[in-house]
Amino acid sequence: MAPKPRVLGIVLAGGEGKRLWPLTADRAKPAVPFGGNFRLVDFVLSNLVNAGYLRICVLTQYKSHSLDRHITTTWRMSQMLGNYVTPVPAQQRLGPRWYTGSADAILQSLNLVYDDDPEYLVVFGADHVYRMDPSQMVADHIASGAEATVAGIRVPRHEATAFGVIDTDESGHRITRFLEKPADPPAVQDDPNVSYASMGNYVFTTKALIEALKQDAGDENSIHDMGANIIPMFVERGTANVYDFDRNQVPGSEERDKGYWRDVGTLDAYHDAHMDLVSVHPIFNLYNQQWPILSVPPTLPPAKFVENGMALDSMVGPGTIISGATVRRSVLSENVRVSIGASVEGSVIMPGVRIGRNAVVRNAILDKNVVVPDGATVGINLESDRAAYTVTASGITVIGKGVTVAR
Ligand code: ADQ
């Protein structure tokens, strides 16, 4: 058997996530809580670790404290085996500047690449909810002889304006055109309503990426972005391939969640992805233990339901008490209280939230420690919600960390 290739994981986690405001008011987007007891970054890290890639640098920047803390506490690896998941803030090794873009983030962190000396770099984004075995993509990269491989997924063409869009040659493997967030995305050959989008996940042959990053650093017109600058450089050279996400097989995946990938870049997408979790036959199955999404649960007692309190089609975190209240189609994190007569529906409730007696919460996202006083409502009168909070295009009311709702 051939020896396992030496691979270093690089997770791009420096994005600001402006469109997730107010959830990113106080934290980086990859640190935004998701699914009751995860943070967004846990999905990519679980995918890498499940594939056996146990040396990972997470490049952080924007409001990185809670992300750094989460990685260093939750993702501590065995030093003895030389494994690590390490957050890497901008260190200004190349001058007094932050990371100017995702390519500059890797350029400024090359010392870690030199130290590790991997043959291949797996460079993945940190903002997506999905299951993927990256080792299958690495095997594809090695077999094809490409210098850069981009993971591709078919998306509705009208959504493709938010992504890098891929055009291939007839073989369907070699990338002939890569358009970063095009206004008029090209469609795939067999369907005018579908485009082939980049998932923002790449595999590179190390030497080739280092050369490309250095060449890009000297280009005054570059914004030093992986999608806008580096991938097109490999496409021009004719050494960029696409890896079709549809071909990825994850142990324990079922037909319905096979190929599930969500860019939770907007509040509506974030809310929708939670509703995917609580449907009776979940479209994304968090309970697949053959490819677990990893996290360290808090040391709290199990959730408790008293005084006819109930939660239906919902997920409820530890330490949460539902007392004489009804919760439907919702995800409740740890340490939440829902009091007598209250009703919660279609909502995402983060740790420490307090929902008072007879309060009503509908189609809402309540960030950590929000207080909904007795009798108050959220998501009922969208006009008044809009005046005080964020209300999304599809009518989801979002309330930022620690806010006490007016009665
Ligand atoms: P976007 O997500 O819009 O598109 P970007 O904002 O660069 O691109 O984010 C990509 C990843 O890099 C995210 O995980 C983000 O946190 C991180 N990142 C952004 N700026 C960074 C910085 N300065 N330092 C470190 N990390 C940083 C990208 C691709 C598209 C692709 C979509 C898929 O450019 O081609 O289609 O991802 O969602």
Side-chain angles (χ1 to χ4, degrees):
M1 210 169 80
K4 265 175 75 177
R6 293 195 314 279
V7 171
L8 176 69
I10 295 183
V11 173
L12 297 169
E16 192 171 339
K18 280 200 193 99
R19 290 173 305 155
L20 276 186
W21 185 273
L23 306 182
T24 47
D26 200 31
R27 50 169 97 84
K29 182 171 164 190
V32 168
F34 187 88
N37 58 335
F38 305 96
R39 305 230 182 199
L40 286 178
V41 74
D42 293 334
F43 289 85
V44 62
L45 291 176
S46 298
N47 286 330
L48 291 169
V49 165
N50 287 334
Y53 298 144
L54 303 178
R55 297 149 89 89
I56 304 168
C57 302
V58 184
L59 310 187
T60 69
Q61 170 154 289
Y62 174 83
K63 293 185 179 161
S64 61
H65 170 66
S66 64
L67 180 58
D68 283 1
R69 191 187 49 204
H70 176 71
I71 291 164
T72 43
T73 54
T74 307
W75 287 93
R76 225 169 14 190
M77 292 271 167
S78 164
Q79 290 287 325
M80 203 194 287
L81 299 173
N83 300 326
Y84 56 84
V85 179
T86 183
V88 185
Q91 299 179 72
Q92 308 207 338
R93 284 171 180 270
L94 302 177
R97 65 165 198 271
W98 282 55
Y99 297 147
T100 52
S102 50
D104 185 47
I106 305 178
L107 182 80
Q108 288 203 40
S109 309
L110 280 181
N111 61 305
L112 298 155
V113 176
Y114 297 138
D115 287 351
D116 210 274
D117 193 26
E119 295 163 280
Y120 302 101
L121 292 168
V122 171
V123 178
F124 275 28
D127 302 343
H128 304 110
V129 175
Y130 65 121
R131 269 197 178 81
M132 175 177 181
D133 176 359
S135 72
Q136 295 170 28
M137 182 175 168
V138 170
D140 192 80
H141 176 84
I142 296 171
S144 74
E147 292 183 309
T149 300
V150 180
I153 188 168
R154 284 168 185 74
V155 298
R157 189 167 159 265
H158 68 271
E159 289 174 16
T161 49
F163 298 120
V165 177
I166 296 166
D167 233 353
T168 63
D169 65 5
E170 291 197 338
S171 75
H173 300 303
R174 187 68 47 166
I175 304 179
T176 50
R177 221 161 37 131
F178 187 92
L179 304 169
E180 180 68 1
K181 308 196 179 116
D184 187 17
V188 294
Q189 275 167 10
D190 50 3
D191 190 338
N193 299 317
V194 170
S195 294
Y196 206 14
S198 159
M199 296 164 67
N201 288 352
Y202 319 108
V203 175
F204 296 100
T205 304
T206 305
K207 196 164 156 284
L209 180 62
I210 294 174
E211 279 168 19
L213 290 174
K214 288 189 173 165
Q215 188 184 328
D216 172 72
D219 180 353
E220 280 176 7
N221 298 320
S222 172
I223 55 166
H224 312 301
D225 180 81
M226 294 303 287
N229 306 110
I230 302 298
I231 297 301
M233 208 184 263
F234 285 104
V235 171
E236 206 161 292
R237 279 196 216 167
T239 59
N241 264 24
V242 63
Y243 172 75
D244 192 341
F245 182 55
D246 272 352
R247 286 170 46 211
N248 203 259
Q249 303 271 351
V250 173
S253 253
E254 294 160 44
E255 210 34 60
R256 74 174 162 261
D257 74 350
K258 196 176 168 302
Y260 186 95
W261 177 82
R262 289 287 182 280
D263 175 13
V264 285
T266 63
L267 292 164
D268 280 328
Y270 177 87
H271 183 266
D272 275 357
H274 278 88
M275 295 304 114
D276 288 345
L277 295 179
V278 296
S279 56
V280 179
H281 300 294
I283 306 168
F284 185 71
N285 178 12
L286 275 175
Y287 300 87
N288 171 5
Q289 282 306 301
Q290 294 180 53
W291 195 270
I293 304 304
L294 303 163
S295 174
V296 175
T299 47
L300 287 164
K304 188 176 177 188
F305 302 81
V306 294
E307 311 246 30
N308 291 325
M310 62 176 133
L312 301 164
D313 300 337
S314 296
M315 299 187 348
V316 181
T320 287
I321 304 176
I322 298 178
S323 170
T326 306
V327 173
R328 289 175 201 273
R329 287 193 310 111
S330 296
V331 177
L332 273 61
S333 299
E334 80 240 22
N335 193 21
V336 171
R337 298 283 179 279
V338 191
S339 308
I340 291 182
S343 150
V344 177
E345 194 165 341
S347 295
V348 180
I349 311 291
M350 295 202 198
V353 168
R354 296 287 177 265
I355 297 174
R357 287 168 174 249
N358 302 317
V360 178
V361 176
R362 287 275 179 286
N363 304 329
I365 301 171
L366 306 185
D367 203 339
K368 272 187 168 175
N369 301 329
V370 162
V371 177
V372 185
D374 293 351
T377 69
V378 175
I380 298 296
N381 182 343
L382 293 187
E383 276 316 302
S384 67
D385 281 3
R386 203 167 275 124
Y389 318 113
T390 301
V391 178
T392 69
S394 65
I396 309 298
T397 302
V398 189
I399 304 188
K401 221 170 163 180
V403 169
T404 297
V405 171
R407 236 187 295 203

